[in-house]
Amino acid sequence: YAITIDAGDFTVGKATLTVTPGAQTYSYDGTASQFNASAYTFSGFAGGDTAAVVSGATSATASDMVNVGTRNISLSGTGTLSAANYDFSLASLASGLTITPATLTIAPTAQTYTYDGTDAQFNTATAYAVTGCITGDNCSTPTALAGWAGSVTLSASDRINAGTRTISASGTISTSNYLISYAALTNGLTISPRALTIAVNNASKTYGAANPS
């Protein structure tokens, strides 16, 4: 027999790299500017390869990158990713994005009135100011903030008698994007004394007689 060896084809198929978003955590600031669309990693390299063999990019995304909450991060397609020896498989990261609340402070505003024997002049519910809003949210109209609910209670140790006292704030306020901190206002309540008028009655006497009582 004569032996003939024919050349055959030898095909090396591409391996697969898995692209996975990285976890992200930041505090609410009213924008998506802190979200990193380039936060993802590759796994599945062979033969000592590293991410240096990959060119191009894709983008990480989430359903809401602004408001407080926990959400999945996904990838918006393979984008321009390219590697000579690899195809790409896209993964998502469940609960990968955590946006934490910012903090609002509710503090009483000053109250001043004149003693009238009651505490009817003391404002127990609405004499307060809110601070800590990020740009785009309006602390001047806090009830318009997303998810605003609940009420504020203002109190002082004595709301009737003349004097100066601290006003404290407490309450049940909650919002979608903020935690709530309550403050006190030292010497915030001033109750002024009411003026009394003392009138002397007219009197008369005969010369030499005792003064009338």
Side-chain angles (χ1 to χ4, degrees):
Y1 295 93
I3 306 299
T4 300
I5 299 175
D6 291 331
D9 294 328
F10 181 72
T11 302
V12 179
K14 289 187 176 184
T16 299
L17 292 178
T18 299
V19 190
T20 305
Q24 301 189 46
T25 299
Y26 51 85
S27 181
Y28 170 75
D29 71 356
T31 73
S33 62
Q34 299 180 79
F35 185 83
N36 185 353
S38 300
Y40 51 83
T41 59
F42 302 98
S43 60
F45 290 107
D49 285 343
T50 67
V53 304
V54 179
S55 63
T58 183
S59 294
T61 187
S63 60
D64 183 347
M65 298 174 285
V66 176
N67 295 297
V68 169
T70 301
R71 299 172 186 94
N72 299 340
I73 303 178
S74 60
L75 295 165
S76 54
T78 56
T80 59
L81 291 175
S82 178
N85 295 316
Y86 297 94
D87 290 322
F88 298 94
S89 173
L90 304 180
S92 61
L93 183 61
S95 301
L97 173 62
T98 301
I99 304 175
T100 58
T103 299
L104 292 180
T105 299
I106 296 177
T109 52
Q111 299 189 46
T112 300
Y113 51 86
T114 300
Y115 170 77
D116 69 358
T118 74
D119 64 357
Q121 298 179 81
F122 185 81
N123 185 330
T124 62
T126 60
Y128 62 86
V130 179
T131 57
C133 283
I134 56 86
T135 301
D137 288 341
N138 188 355
C139 276
S140 298
T141 54
T143 55
L145 295 173
W148 181 278
S151 60
V152 175
T153 300
L154 304 168
S155 61
S157 59
D158 183 347
R159 301 177 301 192
I160 297 176
N161 296 298
T164 302
R165 298 172 187 94
T166 295
I167 303 177
S168 299
S170 60
T172 59
I173 296 297
S174 61
T175 75
S176 298
N177 293 315
Y178 295 93
L179 299 175
I180 304 299
S181 173
Y182 295 94
L185 181 61
T186 302
N187 297 329
L189 173 62
T190 301
I191 304 175
S192 303
R194 179 171 292 276
L196 291 180
T197 299
I198 299 176
V200 178
N201 294 328
N202 295 328
S204 62
K205 71 171 187 176
T206 301
Y207 176 73
N211 290 330
S213 57

Short mmCIF file of all heavy atoms in Angstrom, two decimals, residues 42-104:
data_model
loop_
_atom_site.label_atom_id
_atom_site.label_comp_id
_atom_site.label_asym_id
_atom_site.label_seq_id
_atom_site.Cartn_x
_atom_site.Cartn_y
_atom_site.Cartn_z
N PHE A 42 -14.61 41.55 33.69
CA PHE A 42 -14.61 40.39 32.79
C PHE A 42 -14.14 39.16 33.56
O PHE A 42 -13.24 39.23 34.39
CB PHE A 42 -13.65 40.62 31.61
CG PHE A 42 -13.98 41.84 30.80
CD1 PHE A 42 -13.31 43.04 31.00
CD2 PHE A 42 -14.94 41.79 29.81
CE1 PHE A 42 -13.60 44.16 30.24
CE2 PHE A 42 -15.24 42.91 29.03
CZ PHE A 42 -14.57 44.10 29.26
N SER A 43 -14.73 38.03 33.25
CA SER A 43 -14.26 36.75 33.79
C SER A 43 -14.28 35.71 32.68
O SER A 43 -15.05 35.82 31.72
CB SER A 43 -15.12 36.30 34.97
OG SER A 43 -16.47 36.13 34.56
N GLY A 44 -13.39 34.68 32.81
CA GLY A 44 -13.35 33.61 31.82
C GLY A 44 -12.12 33.64 30.92
O GLY A 44 -12.08 32.93 29.91
N PHE A 45 -11.12 34.44 31.29
CA PHE A 45 -9.91 34.50 30.46
C PHE A 45 -9.18 33.15 30.46
O PHE A 45 -9.16 32.43 31.47
CB PHE A 45 -8.97 35.59 30.97
CG PHE A 45 -9.47 36.98 30.73
CD1 PHE A 45 -9.96 37.77 31.77
CD2 PHE A 45 -9.47 37.51 29.45
CE1 PHE A 45 -10.41 39.05 31.54
CE2 PHE A 45 -9.92 38.80 29.21
CZ PHE A 45 -10.40 39.57 30.25
N ALA A 46 -8.55 32.85 29.36
CA ALA A 46 -7.78 31.61 29.22
C ALA A 46 -6.31 31.94 28.95
O ALA A 46 -5.99 33.03 28.45
CB ALA A 46 -8.34 30.77 28.07
N GLY A 47 -5.46 30.98 29.29
CA GLY A 47 -4.04 31.09 28.92
C GLY A 47 -3.33 32.30 29.47
O GLY A 47 -2.40 32.80 28.82
N GLY A 48 -3.72 32.78 30.60
CA GLY A 48 -3.04 33.92 31.19
C GLY A 48 -3.46 35.26 30.62
O GLY A 48 -2.84 36.29 30.95
N ASP A 49 -4.48 35.28 29.77
CA ASP A 49 -4.96 36.55 29.24
C ASP A 49 -5.56 37.42 30.35
O ASP A 49 -6.03 36.94 31.39
CB ASP A 49 -6.04 36.32 28.17
CG ASP A 49 -5.47 35.84 26.86
OD1 ASP A 49 -4.25 35.99 26.66
OD2 ASP A 49 -6.25 35.31 26.04
N THR A 50 -5.55 38.71 30.11
CA THR A 50 -6.16 39.68 31.04
C THR A 50 -7.07 40.62 30.24
O THR A 50 -7.19 40.50 29.02
CB THR A 50 -5.08 40.52 31.75
OG1 THR A 50 -4.43 41.36 30.77
CG2 THR A 50 -4.04 39.63 32.43
N ALA A 51 -7.66 41.58 30.95
CA ALA A 51 -8.55 42.54 30.30
C ALA A 51 -7.83 43.37 29.25
O ALA A 51 -8.47 44.04 28.43
CB ALA A 51 -9.18 43.46 31.35
N ALA A 52 -6.50 43.28 29.21
CA ALA A 52 -5.74 44.03 28.21
C ALA A 52 -6.02 43.55 26.79
O ALA A 52 -5.78 44.29 25.82
CB ALA A 52 -4.25 43.94 28.51
N VAL A 53 -6.55 42.33 26.64
CA VAL A 53 -6.83 41.82 25.30
C VAL A 53 -8.18 42.30 24.78
O VAL A 53 -8.54 42.02 23.63
CB VAL A 53 -6.78 40.27 25.27
CG1 VAL A 53 -5.43 39.78 25.76
CG2 VAL A 53 -7.93 39.65 26.07
N VAL A 54 -8.93 43.01 25.62
CA VAL A 54 -10.27 43.49 25.25
C VAL A 54 -10.18 44.96 24.89
O VAL A 54 -9.56 45.76 25.60
CB VAL A 54 -11.27 43.29 26.40
CG1 VAL A 54 -12.65 43.81 26.00
CG2 VAL A 54 -11.35 41.83 26.81
N SER A 55 -10.82 45.31 23.80
CA SER A 55 -10.94 46.72 23.43
C SER A 55 -12.41 47.11 23.38
O SER A 55 -13.30 46.26 23.40
CB SER A 55 -10.29 46.99 22.07
OG SER A 55 -10.96 46.25 21.05
N GLY A 56 -12.66 48.41 23.31
CA GLY A 56 -14.03 48.89 23.25
C GLY A 56 -14.67 48.95 24.63
O GLY A 56 -14.02 48.79 25.67
N ALA A 57 -15.96 49.16 24.64
CA ALA A 57 -16.66 49.36 25.92
C ALA A 57 -18.14 49.05 25.76
O ALA A 57 -18.69 49.04 24.66
CB ALA A 57 -16.49 50.79 26.40
N THR A 58 -18.78 48.78 26.89
CA THR A 58 -20.23 48.73 26.99
C THR A 58 -20.64 49.68 28.11
O THR A 58 -19.79 50.39 28.66
CB THR A 58 -20.73 47.30 27.25
OG1 THR A 58 -22.16 47.31 27.26
CG2 THR A 58 -20.21 46.74 28.56
N SER A 59 -21.90 49.70 28.47
CA SER A 59 -22.37 50.62 29.50
C SER A 59 -23.26 49.90 30.50
O SER A 59 -24.18 49.18 30.10
CB SER A 59 -23.15 51.78 28.88
OG SER A 59 -22.32 52.58 28.08
N ALA A 60 -22.99 50.14 31.79
CA ALA A 60 -23.87 49.66 32.84
C ALA A 60 -25.04 50.63 32.98
O ALA A 60 -24.91 51.83 32.73
CB ALA A 60 -23.11 49.56 34.16
N THR A 61 -26.19 50.10 33.37
CA THR A 61 -27.38 50.94 33.52
C THR A 61 -28.29 50.33 34.58
O THR A 61 -28.15 49.16 34.95
CB THR A 61 -28.12 51.10 32.18
OG1 THR A 61 -29.17 52.06 32.33
CG2 THR A 61 -28.70 49.78 31.71
N ALA A 62 -29.24 51.13 35.07
CA ALA A 62 -30.24 50.66 36.03
C ALA A 62 -31.53 51.40 35.74
O ALA A 62 -31.54 52.45 35.10
CB ALA A 62 -29.78 50.91 37.46
N SER A 63 -32.64 50.86 36.25
CA SER A 63 -33.95 51.44 35.96
C SER A 63 -34.11 52.84 36.56
O SER A 63 -34.85 53.68 36.03
CB SER A 63 -35.06 50.53 36.47
OG SER A 63 -34.94 50.34 37.88
N ASP A 64 -33.44 53.11 37.66
CA ASP A 64 -33.50 54.43 38.30
C ASP A 64 -32.17 54.64 38.99
O ASP A 64 -31.84 53.94 39.95
CB ASP A 64 -34.66 54.49 39.30
CG ASP A 64 -34.82 55.87 39.95
OD1 ASP A 64 -33.91 56.71 39.83
OD2 ASP A 64 -35.88 56.10 40.57
N MET A 65 -31.42 55.61 38.53
CA MET A 65 -30.08 55.86 39.07
C MET A 65 -30.06 57.13 39.92
O MET A 65 -29.00 57.62 40.29
CB MET A 65 -29.08 55.98 37.92
CG MET A 65 -28.97 54.71 37.10
SD MET A 65 -27.93 54.85 35.62
CE MET A 65 -29.02 55.79 34.52
N VAL A 66 -31.26 57.66 40.24
CA VAL A 66 -31.36 58.93 40.97
C VAL A 66 -31.92 58.75 42.38
O VAL A 66 -31.33 59.21 43.36
CB VAL A 66 -32.23 59.94 40.19
CG1 VAL A 66 -32.41 61.23 40.99
CG2 VAL A 66 -31.62 60.24 38.83
N ASN A 67 -33.07 58.11 42.49
CA ASN A 67 -33.81 58.08 43.74
C ASN A 67 -33.39 56.93 44.65
O ASN A 67 -32.90 55.90 44.21
CB ASN A 67 -35.31 57.99 43.44
CG ASN A 67 -35.80 59.24 42.73
OD1 ASN A 67 -35.76 60.33 43.27
ND2 ASN A 67 -36.26 59.08 41.48
N VAL A 68 -33.63 57.14 45.94
CA VAL A 68 -33.23 56.17 46.97
C VAL A 68 -33.86 54.81 46.71
O VAL A 68 -35.03 54.70 46.35
CB VAL A 68 -33.62 56.70 48.36
CG1 VAL A 68 -33.48 55.63 49.42
CG2 VAL A 68 -32.77 57.92 48.72
N GLY A 69 -33.06 53.76 46.89
CA GLY A 69 -33.57 52.41 46.74
C GLY A 69 -32.47 51.46 46.31
O GLY A 69 -31.31 51.84 46.14
N THR A 70 -32.82 50.20 46.14
CA THR A 70 -31.90 49.16 45.68
C THR A 70 -32.42 48.58 44.37
O THR A 70 -33.60 48.20 44.29
CB THR A 70 -31.78 48.04 46.73
OG1 THR A 70 -31.31 48.61 47.96
CG2 THR A 70 -30.81 46.96 46.28
N ARG A 71 -31.55 48.51 43.37
CA ARG A 71 -31.99 48.09 42.04
C ARG A 71 -30.95 47.19 41.37
O ARG A 71 -29.77 47.23 41.72
CB ARG A 71 -32.25 49.33 41.17
CG ARG A 71 -33.34 50.21 41.77
CD ARG A 71 -33.51 51.53 41.05
NE ARG A 71 -34.47 52.34 41.79
CZ ARG A 71 -34.15 53.24 42.70
NH1 ARG A 71 -32.88 53.47 42.99
NH2 ARG A 71 -35.09 53.91 43.34
N ASN A 72 -31.42 46.44 40.39
CA ASN A 72 -30.52 45.62 39.58
C ASN A 72 -29.72 46.50 38.63
O ASN A 72 -30.21 47.52 38.15
CB ASN A 72 -31.30 44.59 38.76
CG ASN A 72 -32.09 43.64 39.63
OD1 ASN A 72 -31.79 43.47 40.81
ND2 ASN A 72 -33.09 43.01 39.06
N ILE A 73 -28.48 46.08 38.36
CA ILE A 73 -27.67 46.74 37.33
C ILE A 73 -27.52 45.78 36.16
O ILE A 73 -27.20 44.60 36.35
CB ILE A 73 -26.28 47.15 37.86
CG1 ILE A 73 -26.40 48.07 39.08
CG2 ILE A 73 -25.48 47.85 36.77
CD1 ILE A 73 -25.05 48.46 39.68
N SER A 74 -27.76 46.27 34.98
CA SER A 74 -27.60 45.46 33.77
C SER A 74 -26.64 46.15 32.81
O SER A 74 -26.14 47.24 33.08
CB SER A 74 -28.96 45.23 33.09
OG SER A 74 -29.53 46.47 32.73
N LEU A 75 -26.35 45.49 31.69
CA LEU A 75 -25.48 46.05 30.67
C LEU A 75 -26.28 46.28 29.39
O LEU A 75 -27.10 45.45 29.00
CB LEU A 75 -24.31 45.10 30.39
CG LEU A 75 -23.36 44.90 31.58
CD1 LEU A 75 -22.47 43.69 31.36
CD2 LEU A 75 -22.51 46.15 31.82
N SER A 76 -26.04 47.40 28.75
CA SER A 76 -26.82 47.78 27.57
C SER A 76 -26.17 47.21 26.31
O SER A 76 -25.66 47.95 25.47
CB SER A 76 -26.96 49.29 27.48
OG SER A 76 -25.67 49.90 27.51
N GLY A 77 -26.15 45.88 26.19
CA GLY A 77 -25.57 45.23 25.01
C GLY A 77 -24.06 45.13 25.09
O GLY A 77 -23.43 45.57 26.06
N THR A 78 -23.48 44.56 24.05
CA THR A 78 -22.02 44.41 24.05
C THR A 78 -21.31 45.67 23.61
O THR A 78 -20.08 45.76 23.68
CB THR A 78 -21.61 43.25 23.11
OG1 THR A 78 -22.15 43.49 21.81
CG2 THR A 78 -22.13 41.92 23.66
N GLY A 79 -22.06 46.65 23.13
CA GLY A 79 -21.45 47.92 22.76
C GLY A 79 -20.38 47.73 21.70
O GLY A 79 -20.59 47.06 20.68
N THR A 80 -19.20 48.25 21.96
CA THR A 80 -18.08 48.14 21.01
C THR A 80 -17.03 47.14 21.50
O THR A 80 -15.88 47.15 21.02
CB THR A 80 -17.42 49.51 20.80
OG1 THR A 80 -16.95 50.02 22.06
CG2 THR A 80 -18.42 50.51 20.20
N LEU A 81 -17.40 46.28 22.45
CA LEU A 81 -16.44 45.31 22.99
C LEU A 81 -15.93 44.40 21.88
O LEU A 81 -16.69 43.91 21.04
CB LEU A 81 -17.09 44.47 24.08
CG LEU A 81 -17.44 45.18 25.39
CD1 LEU A 81 -18.20 44.23 26.33
CD2 LEU A 81 -16.19 45.72 26.08
N SER A 82 -14.63 44.13 21.93
CA SER A 82 -14.02 43.27 20.91
C SER A 82 -12.78 42.60 21.50
O SER A 82 -12.03 43.21 22.27
CB SER A 82 -13.62 44.11 19.68
OG SER A 82 -12.99 43.30 18.73
N ALA A 83 -12.59 41.33 21.14
CA ALA A 83 -11.39 40.60 21.53
C ALA A 83 -11.17 39.49 20.50
O ALA A 83 -12.12 38.80 20.10
CB ALA A 83 -11.52 40.00 22.92
N ALA A 84 -9.95 39.33 20.06
CA ALA A 84 -9.66 38.40 18.96
C ALA A 84 -10.07 36.97 19.27
O ALA A 84 -10.54 36.24 18.39
CB ALA A 84 -8.16 38.47 18.63
N ASN A 85 -9.93 36.56 20.51
CA ASN A 85 -10.15 35.15 20.86
C ASN A 85 -11.37 34.91 21.74
O ASN A 85 -11.54 33.81 22.28
CB ASN A 85 -8.90 34.60 21.57
CG ASN A 85 -7.70 34.56 20.66
OD1 ASN A 85 -7.80 34.16 19.49
ND2 ASN A 85 -6.54 35.01 21.17
N TYR A 86 -12.24 35.93 21.87
CA TYR A 86 -13.35 35.79 22.80
C TYR A 86 -14.65 36.36 22.23
O TYR A 86 -14.65 37.37 21.52
CB TYR A 86 -13.05 36.52 24.12
CG TYR A 86 -11.87 35.96 24.88
CD1 TYR A 86 -10.61 36.51 24.71
CD2 TYR A 86 -12.03 34.89 25.76
CE1 TYR A 86 -9.51 36.01 25.42
CE2 TYR A 86 -10.94 34.38 26.47
CZ TYR A 86 -9.69 34.94 26.29
OH TYR A 86 -8.62 34.44 26.98
N ASP A 87 -15.74 35.69 22.56
CA ASP A 87 -17.06 36.27 22.45
C ASP A 87 -17.46 36.78 23.84
O ASP A 87 -16.75 36.53 24.83
CB ASP A 87 -18.08 35.24 21.96
CG ASP A 87 -17.86 34.87 20.50
OD1 ASP A 87 -17.52 35.76 19.71
OD2 ASP A 87 -18.02 33.68 20.17
N PHE A 88 -18.59 37.45 23.92
CA PHE A 88 -18.99 38.07 25.18
C PHE A 88 -20.39 37.61 25.59
O PHE A 88 -21.30 37.52 24.76
CB PHE A 88 -18.97 39.59 25.07
CG PHE A 88 -17.60 40.14 24.77
CD1 PHE A 88 -17.22 40.38 23.46
CD2 PHE A 88 -16.70 40.37 25.78
CE1 PHE A 88 -15.95 40.86 23.17
CE2 PHE A 88 -15.43 40.86 25.51
CZ PHE A 88 -15.05 41.10 24.19
N SER A 89 -20.52 37.32 26.87
CA SER A 89 -21.82 37.00 27.47
C SER A 89 -22.09 38.04 28.55
O SER A 89 -21.22 38.32 29.39
CB SER A 89 -21.79 35.60 28.08
OG SER A 89 -22.98 35.33 28.80
N LEU A 90 -23.28 38.62 28.51
CA LEU A 90 -23.60 39.69 29.45
C LEU A 90 -24.38 39.16 30.64
O LEU A 90 -25.34 38.40 30.48
CB LEU A 90 -24.42 40.78 28.75
CG LEU A 90 -23.79 41.39 27.50
CD1 LEU A 90 -24.72 42.44 26.91
CD2 LEU A 90 -22.43 42.01 27.81
N ALA A 91 -23.99 39.59 31.84
CA ALA A 91 -24.69 39.23 33.07
C ALA A 91 -25.26 40.49 33.70
O ALA A 91 -24.86 41.61 33.39
CB ALA A 91 -23.75 38.53 34.05
N SER A 92 -26.22 40.31 34.59
CA SER A 92 -26.73 41.43 35.39
C SER A 92 -26.37 41.19 36.85
O SER A 92 -26.01 40.06 37.24
CB SER A 92 -28.24 41.58 35.23
OG SER A 92 -28.90 40.41 35.67
N LEU A 93 -26.46 42.22 37.65
CA LEU A 93 -26.13 42.11 39.08
C LEU A 93 -27.36 42.49 39.88
O LEU A 93 -27.74 43.66 39.94
CB LEU A 93 -24.96 43.03 39.42
CG LEU A 93 -24.46 42.97 40.87
CD1 LEU A 93 -23.96 41.57 41.21
CD2 LEU A 93 -23.35 43.99 41.10
N ALA A 94 -28.00 41.48 40.47
CA ALA A 94 -29.21 41.72 41.25
C ALA A 94 -28.90 42.59 42.47
O ALA A 94 -27.90 42.36 43.18
CB ALA A 94 -29.82 40.40 41.70
N SER A 95 -29.71 43.59 42.70
CA SER A 95 -29.56 44.51 43.84
C SER A 95 -28.17 45.13 43.88
O SER A 95 -27.62 45.39 44.95
CB SER A 95 -29.86 43.77 45.16
OG SER A 95 -31.16 43.24 45.16
N GLY A 96 -27.61 45.36 42.71
CA GLY A 96 -26.24 45.86 42.66
C GLY A 96 -26.11 47.35 42.94
O GLY A 96 -25.03 47.82 43.30
N LEU A 97 -27.20 48.09 42.77
CA LEU A 97 -27.15 49.54 43.00
C LEU A 97 -27.91 49.88 44.28
O LEU A 97 -29.08 49.53 44.43
CB LEU A 97 -27.78 50.29 41.83
CG LEU A 97 -27.95 51.81 42.00
CD1 LEU A 97 -26.60 52.49 42.19
CD2 LEU A 97 -28.68 52.41 40.81
N THR A 98 -27.23 50.56 45.18
CA THR A 98 -27.85 51.03 46.41
C THR A 98 -27.68 52.54 46.52
O THR A 98 -26.55 53.03 46.55
CB THR A 98 -27.24 50.35 47.65
OG1 THR A 98 -27.40 48.93 47.55
CG2 THR A 98 -27.91 50.84 48.93
N ILE A 99 -28.80 53.25 46.54
CA ILE A 99 -28.77 54.70 46.74
C ILE A 99 -29.35 54.98 48.12
O ILE A 99 -30.50 54.64 48.40
CB ILE A 99 -29.57 55.44 45.65
CG1 ILE A 99 -29.06 55.06 44.26
CG2 ILE A 99 -29.48 56.96 45.85
CD1 ILE A 99 -29.87 55.65 43.12
N THR A 100 -28.55 55.56 48.99
CA THR A 100 -28.95 55.79 50.37
C THR A 100 -29.54 57.19 50.55
O THR A 100 -29.24 58.10 49.76
CB THR A 100 -27.76 55.61 51.32
OG1 THR A 100 -26.72 56.53 50.95
CG2 THR A 100 -27.21 54.20 51.24
N PRO A 101 -30.39 57.39 51.56
CA PRO A 101 -31.02 58.70 51.74
C PRO A 101 -30.04 59.78 52.20
O PRO A 101 -29.07 59.49 52.91
CB PRO A 101 -32.07 58.43 52.85
CG PRO A 101 -32.19 56.95 52.94
CD PRO A 101 -30.87 56.39 52.53
N ALA A 102 -30.31 61.00 51.79
CA ALA A 102 -29.68 62.16 52.41
C ALA A 102 -30.46 62.50 53.69
O ALA A 102 -31.43 61.80 54.03
CB ALA A 102 -29.69 63.34 51.44
N THR A 103 -30.07 63.53 54.40
CA THR A 103 -30.72 63.88 55.68
C THR A 103 -31.25 65.30 55.65
O THR A 103 -30.55 66.24 55.25
CB THR A 103 -29.74 63.72 56.86
OG1 THR A 103 -29.31 62.36 56.93
CG2 THR A 103 -30.41 64.09 58.18
N LEU A 104 -32.51 65.44 56.07
CA LEU A 104 -33.12 66.75 56.28
C LEU A 104 -33.18 67.03 57.78
O LEU A 104 -33.39 66.12 58.58
CB LEU A 104 -34.55 66.77 55.73
CG LEU A 104 -34.76 66.69 54.22
CD1 LEU A 104 -36.25 66.73 53.91
CD2 LEU A 104 -34.03 67.81 53.51
#
